[in-house]
Amino acid sequence: MSVLLFLAAALSVVVTTSIVYILVSESWSFFATIPLWTFLTDTQWTPVFAEPRYGILPLLTATLWSAGIALVIAIPLGTILAVYLSEYARPAVRETIKPMLELLVAVPTVVYGYFALLFLTPLFKQFVPGLAGFNLLVPGIVLGIMTLPYIVSISEDAMRAVPGALREGAYALGMTRFQTAMRVIIPGAFSGITAAYVLGMSRAVGETMILAIAAGQNPNLTSDPREGAATITAYIVQMSMGDLPHGSLAYQTIFAAGLTLFVMTLVFNIIGFFLRRRFREVY
Amino acid sequence: MTDIAATASEFAAPEEAATVSAHTADASISIPHALRAEVRNLSFWYKEFQALKGIQLPIADRKVTALIGASGCGKSTLLRCFNRMHDLYAGNRYDGEIVLKPEGENIVSRSVDPILVRMRVGMVFQKPNPFPKSIYENVAAGLRIRGINKRSALDERVEQVLRQAALWNEVKDRLDSSAYDLSGGQQQRLCIARTLAPEPELILLDEPTSALDPIATAVIEELVDELRKNVTIIIVTHSMQQAARISDYCAFMHLGQLIEFGETEQMFTNPGNVKTQDYITGRFG
Amino acid sequence: MAAQNIADVKGRTEELASVVSAARRKDYIFAIIGVLVLIISMGMLVALLYDLFVDGIPRLSWDFLTSFPSRRPANAGILSAWVGTSLVMLVTACLAIPVGVMAGLYLEEYAPKNWLTDIIEINVSNLAGVPSIIYGLLALGLFVYILGLGRTVLVAGMVLALLILPVVIVATREAVRSIPVALKEGAYGIGADKWQTMWHYIIPAARPGILTGAIVGLSRAIGETAPVITIGALTFIAFLPPAPVQGTPPFVNFDWLSAPFTVMPIQMFNWISRPQEAFHVNAAATGVILLAMSLMMNAIAIWIRYRLRRAHKS
């Protein structure tokens, strides 16, 4: 029986190995045709054009733009909310708010996409001049709302894990709740809070539907978030919707794009994992 | 944390507090020293449970007063009234007075801001609880929140109190390293330095050596002995020997009441109460 | 150190009082900011719900649930989508729950402390952070082409099962960990062996926690779009998979596993992407159903956990 249980647990390793195998083997064929250097430096991504170009930069910048906007929203709001819930709110308030935040996590991302494209974008057009129908700004903001509960939850956990003795020490010196939070709790939970940011970044980078719906599907190397641009994830979705002949170069592009995404999130996740572990070891 | 604002739902009027307590024969105990603080008919409730019953206790200026008694006798509860720590948790209630001398403010009054009380009365806890910061910033923390941020002023005061806490020679070359790099005994001395830095009027020590080994304990006891020249100290301790070694006055508590108070030497050689005698000779507790 | 003069003490206390009141002011300002942020983020949730419900609820009708998609928005419905979603969820639940529970039990109760266990643990937490679309690529490359399973209900169920596996594993571990040691010792004490202890004591005691994890996982799977698109689910499908139950022996039929399909989030995505506003209304109506299902599942999970916590307290 324990062998069966072990196999179930080991399945997770098989899954990871298979992910790496599939991404690498399909990308391998891709990079046999397109040099890695071209992939990383060419500024155009037009695999289905008559004269195809295979530069990941437009997809990458759109991914980083939207994730960046998301974090600019989610990090300050998430940190404030976490401090509020951990240090200010009465237990009853905390116990009511936390499940509500969990409900925010439960909203399907396709619904967030609907909200971004058909509610917020028309709204924002009224006071952001030059905002395109598909743009990076609004889905970035919605992505921030989506990431928010995630960041709140991890950083609040980190703050609650700071021992009560430290809080009492701070209060005994004459600190207010705010001073306790800024001078003792946040430094004490620092690696846990950083882990929340990094894992939030990983979430934002890997999110698909909000961007596929509201940021458009046109690869566009841009420095203006008011324009639309396809992210890595949106590109994969767009290609999957069409007819992709197995084994074609176009088929392989989605794996090369996927590998890029996987490596990025892997780096974020590993950093986040060790930050959280380090922070658990302190106390 | 719950609201810091006092949670007491009712509060005794001053004249009520001055009435003679039923539990102690003597309303105000007189001692041959100037007072730094005085507890007058103090009662305290955790929700419905009355943890302190009409305590009367003088605190002599620049002396060490020890609170002793068995676990659950209320000695820590009494100590934590002096800096209103109980206000951090909902449902706690004070009745009576603790007045600071010489100006005579009642610090458990609901109209007195508990944060202001904690600015005036410092506390060192059972387990060392340095902040997750450098050694230097730990000592400077209390000064910074009092608006002292000038580097030269901080440097001077940090060195001064680290010397006072007999820690300077051990840490002077690594003031910027983490406080968690220190040993348990050093951490506790750091916490004492942190408490001393803003010059509190009273210092509360809540079993400060209970988490330390005998050698570190001896160092802290020497330190307390040194500090009493300048500072008024109230210490809660489990150890009779410790109370005998370092205190000038001693208060023996039992089930929330003050059973006996007196000069330490006299109390340990000639206790006036049978319970005190039983306790200090180790028959219970 | 001691300023014994009354005037000195009063002067010093007044200085401190002004420091305290300045600090208190900042403290209150932060409290207000905290409440504002709370209101803003909750307001977003409300705005999202409001927008979707106002757009979508009027469109909900019996016809909407029992019609196939259509080129004319007024005739279109989500019959094939909700049937597809239900079948895919059935596969996902049947795969993810047993495997996840077994893996969780292993890691919590059986796993020796060695490097292999470490790798599995790091791996599980890492898998939880892999973007869902990467699972879609795995399924496309491995299940669809290498294993030749095609773009079917089975593959969709499998990929979503892999996706929620970490959720079920973590929930199982937490549920098992929170069981009092006394219960286990009691079971061993009456002579139960390890497996009997698992089966008769640990699993029943951990059931509410496991159930919570399973429901949360499934609610996530129900709204997942990207991996299902990647494996090539159809967006326009005007027929139903064969029924799993039939009137003639052997009464069950597994042909539906290999049927092409669509699911609700894909149907919704498809309608959002159309230019005509009438399709957007259909999308909103689908969103209402999707959101209602997902929120209801989460509410049930939260309720179970709440009851569990109360039971632990008493």
Side-chain angles (χ1 to χ4, degrees):
Chain A
M1 196 61 216
S2 59
V3 174
L4 194 61
L5 296 186
F6 170 75
L7 288 179
L11 178 69
S12 71
V13 179
V14 176
V15 172
T16 307
T17 321
S18 314
I19 288 176
V20 173
Y21 172 75
I22 293 288
L23 290 179
V24 169
S25 66
E26 296 288 354
S27 303
W28 195 263
S29 324
F30 174 79
F31 288 120
T33 322
I34 308 299
L36 181 62
W37 185 247
T38 311
F39 179 72
L40 292 177
T41 57
D42 195 338
T43 56
Q44 299 226 17
W45 180 261
T46 54
V48 289
F49 281 20
E51 274 177 54
R53 300 273 294 272
Y54 299 94
I56 192 77
L57 280 177
L59 302 183
L60 200 58
T61 48
T63 301
L64 293 176
W65 255 120
S66 54
I69 294 170
L71 289 196
V72 166
I73 302 279
I75 285 182
L77 294 188
T79 312
I80 291 173
L81 212 48
V83 169
Y84 183 79
L85 288 179
S86 155
E87 306 301 316
Y88 280 73
R90 291 159 195 279
V93 175
R94 183 165 57 238
E95 295 311 310
T96 324
I97 298 299
K98 286 198 86 176
M100 286 178 77
L101 285 171
E102 283 175 48
L103 287 186
L104 267 175
V105 180
V107 174
T109 56
V110 62
V111 172
Y112 277 116
Y114 176 92
F115 184 63
L117 182 69
L118 300 174
F119 180 77
L120 276 189
T121 298
L123 192 70
F124 271 60
K125 269 188 171 173
Q126 290 171 9
F127 47 90
V128 180
L131 189 70
F134 291 121
N135 59 76
L136 288 168
L137 179 66
V138 173
I141 292 171
V142 174
L143 197 53
I145 300 169
M146 191 207 85
T147 324
L148 182 69
Y150 197 65
I151 288 184
V152 173
S153 159
I154 298 177
S155 40
E156 203 251 4
D157 281 350
M159 290 177 197
R160 302 289 315 158
V162 173
L166 259 62
R167 262 183 206 92
E168 290 206 332
Y171 286 125
L173 266 186
M175 291 193 192
T176 59
R177 292 169 296 187
F178 182 61
Q179 286 167 330
T180 304
M182 298 305 286
R183 290 162 191 266
V184 178
I185 305 298
I186 290 180
F190 186 74
S191 47
I193 297 172
T194 322
Y197 298 164
V198 173
L199 296 173
M201 181 75 184
S202 163
R203 261 292 140 100
V205 160
E207 168 48 32
T208 308
M209 294 319 292
I210 297 175
L211 293 140
I213 290 171
Q217 303 189 335
N218 177 30
N220 175 12
L221 186 61
T222 179
S223 57
D224 183 355
R226 292 173 304 175
E227 292 177 19
T231 59
I232 297 177
T233 50
Y235 171 74
I236 298 173
V237 163
Q238 183 204 1
M239 292 302 276
S240 311
M241 304 269 288
D243 193 22
L244 270 183
H246 180 219
S248 66
L249 198 58
Y251 174 82
Q252 286 155 4
T253 59
I254 64 173
F255 288 89
L259 182 63
T260 315
L261 180 67
F262 181 70
V263 170
M264 279 167 74
T265 55
L266 189 67
V267 169
F268 289 134
N269 290 341
I270 289 173
I271 296 172
F273 178 83
F274 283 106
L275 281 173
R276 283 182 96 170
R277 174 184 269 195
R278 199 184 84 181
F279 142 82
R280 286 206 187 102
E281 277 165 3
V282 175
Y283 303 113
Chain B
M1 290 292 124
T2 47
D3 218 336
I4 291 181
T7 45
S9 55
E10 48 188 273
F11 200 80
E15 55 271 21
E16 243 179 311
T19 54
V20 177
S21 157
H23 303 299
T24 28
D26 215 349
S28 63
I29 305 161
S30 62
I31 52 169
H33 272 110
L35 295 191
R36 188 74 235 218
E38 190 173 11
V39 181
R40 294 180 189 154
N41 199 24
L42 181 76
S43 294
F44 178 79
W45 286 264
Y46 291 111
K47 301 222 167 83
E48 297 304 307
F49 173 72
Q50 186 172 6
L52 296 177
K53 297 166 186 167
I55 305 288
Q56 306 277 9
L57 179 69
I59 304 294
D61 185 35
R62 277 167 286 176
K63 295 287 169 195
V64 176
T65 304
L67 306 181
I68 60 171
S71 305
C73 69
K75 55 191 193 299
S76 277
T77 306
L78 174 58
L79 191 76
R80 290 162 73 93
C81 290
F82 278 88
N83 67 344
R84 302 272 298 266
M85 283 310 266
H86 299 299
D87 289 40
L88 294 174
Y89 310 97
N92 298 333
R93 190 158 63 87
Y94 309 88
D95 188 3
E97 293 185 334
I98 298 177
V99 293
L100 287 189
K101 303 276 183 170
E103 93 289 10
E105 182 154 44
N106 174 16
I107 54 174
V108 296
S109 158
R110 210 157 67 152
S111 61
V112 172
D113 187 338
I115 292 184
L116 186 56
V117 174
R118 294 182 201 127
M119 290 259 180
R120 300 176 65 183
V121 180
M123 181 168 190
V124 176
F125 295 80
Q126 258 185 31
K127 273 197 203 151
N129 58 353
F131 299 144
K133 294 185 158 193
S134 69
I135 293 168
Y136 183 95
E137 283 303 327
N138 260 281
V139 183
L143 300 168
R144 287 193 187 280
I145 59 163
R146 284 159 178 80
I148 302 165
N149 281 305
K150 228 172 78 192
R151 189 74 198 187
S152 58
L154 287 177
D155 283 350
E156 193 186 326
R157 186 66 188 146
V158 167
E159 177 173 346
Q160 204 182 354
V161 289
L162 281 174
R163 282 185 191 281
Q164 225 182 334
L167 196 58
W168 176 252
N169 289 329
E170 293 158 63
V171 301
K172 63 170 184 259
D173 299 322
R174 46 175 177 145
L175 289 174
D176 290 326
S177 58
S178 163
Y180 292 121
D181 295 343
L182 299 174
S183 73
Q186 288 173 322
Q187 287 188 7
Q188 193 62 306
R189 275 179 282 151
L190 181 68
C191 291
I192 293 175
R194 181 176 77 189
T195 308
L196 286 173
E199 300 185 60
E201 295 162 42
L202 261 182
I203 290 185
L204 314 173
L205 305 177
D206 189 359
E207 299 187 35
T209 60
S210 65
L212 303 180
D213 62 60
I215 294 170
T217 300
V219 175
I220 302 266
E221 286 183 8
E222 268 171 49
L223 174 57
V224 171
D225 198 43
E226 202 51 42
L227 289 175
R228 93 171 88 205
K229 291 174 190 157
N230 302 308
V231 195
T232 308
I233 292 172
I234 307 175
I235 181 169
V236 163
T237 177
H238 254 112
S239 149
M240 285 313 99
Q241 290 84 349
Q242 185 169 65
R245 279 193 300 266
I246 65 173
S247 70
D248 302 291
Y249 287 95
C250 203
F252 172 63
M253 294 179 66
H254 184 64
L255 299 176
Q257 296 181 15
L258 185 71
I259 303 295
E260 187 169 356
F261 173 81
E263 285 186 55
T264 304
E265 209 168 308
Q266 201 214 333
M267 197 147 129
F268 276 81
T269 49
N270 186 18
N273 186 295
V274 183
K275 274 214 181 78
T276 318
Q277 195 170 5
D278 286 352
Y279 184 68
I280 59 183
T281 53
R283 244 169 269 167
F284 83 98
Chain C
M1 174 187 279
Q4 275 290 44
N5 179 310
I6 292 191
D8 283 358
V9 172
K10 283 203 163 153
R12 197 164 169 260
T13 309
E14 264 166 37
E15 265 172 52
L16 286 178
S18 74
V19 169
V20 170
S21 68
R24 280 251 186 233
R25 205 171 309 129
K26 280 190 191 162
D27 192 56
Y28 284 132
I29 291 171
F30 185 83
I32 292 167
I33 292 174
V35 173
L36 284 180
V37 170
L38 194 60
I39 292 171
I40 291 171
S41 40
M42 289 299 141
M44 284 291 184
L45 181 63
V46 172
L48 186 149
L49 293 176
Y50 177 81
D51 170 47
L52 194 74
F53 280 42
V54 164
D55 292 353
I57 283 186
R59 181 67 182 83
L60 289 179
S61 65
W62 186 247
D63 282 346
F64 187 66
L65 294 176
T66 54
S67 305
F68 287 108
S70 158
R71 266 172 291 118
R72 274 164 301 166
N75 294 347
I78 56 166
L79 178 63
S80 46
W82 73 256
V83 171
T85 289
S86 313
L87 295 177
V88 169
M89 284 304 116
L90 185 63
V91 177
T92 302
C94 290
L95 292 175
I97 296 172
V99 175
V101 170
M102 287 197 291
L105 277 180
Y106 176 79
L107 288 175
E108 205 53 42
E109 292 288 319
Y110 286 82
K113 268 243 161 281
N114 60 20
W115 60 273
L116 192 61
T117 308
D118 270 356
I119 287 185
I120 295 178
E121 297 221 10
I122 294 177
N123 194 58
V124 169
S125 78
N126 185 47
L127 272 182
V130 172
S132 61
I133 197 157
I134 300 290
Y135 284 90
L137 291 178
L138 166 71
L140 179 65
L142 184 66
F143 300 156
V144 175
Y145 288 114
I146 295 182
L147 299 180
L149 297 173
R151 302 158 187 268
T152 58
V153 171
L154 177 65
V155 168
M158 283 163 73
V159 64
L160 293 181
L162 292 183
L163 190 67
I164 67 167
L165 204 52
V167 179
V168 182
I169 293 177
V170 170
T172 305
R173 295 189 63 173
E174 278 173 6
V176 171
R177 204 178 304 148
S178 69
I179 295 172
V181 182
L183 183 85
K184 278 180 229 172
E185 283 171 353
Y188 289 125
I190 58 165
D193 66 18
K194 187 146 195 171
W195 178 244
Q196 286 168 327
T197 308
M198 284 299 137
W199 191 250
H200 293 291
Y201 297 94
I202 306 281
I203 295 181
R207 196 180 291 144
I210 295 173
L211 198 61
T212 310
I215 295 173
V216 169
L218 286 176
S219 85
R220 201 183 141 194
I222 225 174
E224 266 303 340
T225 323
V228 192
I229 290 183
T230 314
I231 61 168
L234 302 174
T235 51
F236 187 92
I237 193 162
F239 54 87
L240 291 181
V245 188
Q246 59 192 29
T248 53
F251 300 111
V252 284
N253 181 335
F254 287 104
D255 290 345
W256 56 275
L257 282 174
S258 51
F261 68 102
T262 191
V263 291
M264 292 207 300
I266 291 186
Q267 186 66 68
M268 181 175 172
F269 174 48
N270 178 260
W271 279 335
I272 295 173
S273 313
R274 301 283 188 90
Q276 300 94 320
E277 205 143 307
F279 278 118
H280 296 165
V281 173
N282 287 354
T286 316
V288 169
I289 296 174
L290 200 55
L291 195 63
M293 288 169 77
S294 164
L295 292 187
M296 205 157 65
M297 290 168 87
N298 274 276
I300 292 171
I302 290 169
W303 180 70
I304 295 175
R305 195 163 43 196
Y306 175 75
R307 266 193 19 170
L308 199 62
R309 209 173 286 159
R310 275 218 320 212
H312 274 301
K313 268 184 195 157
S314 58

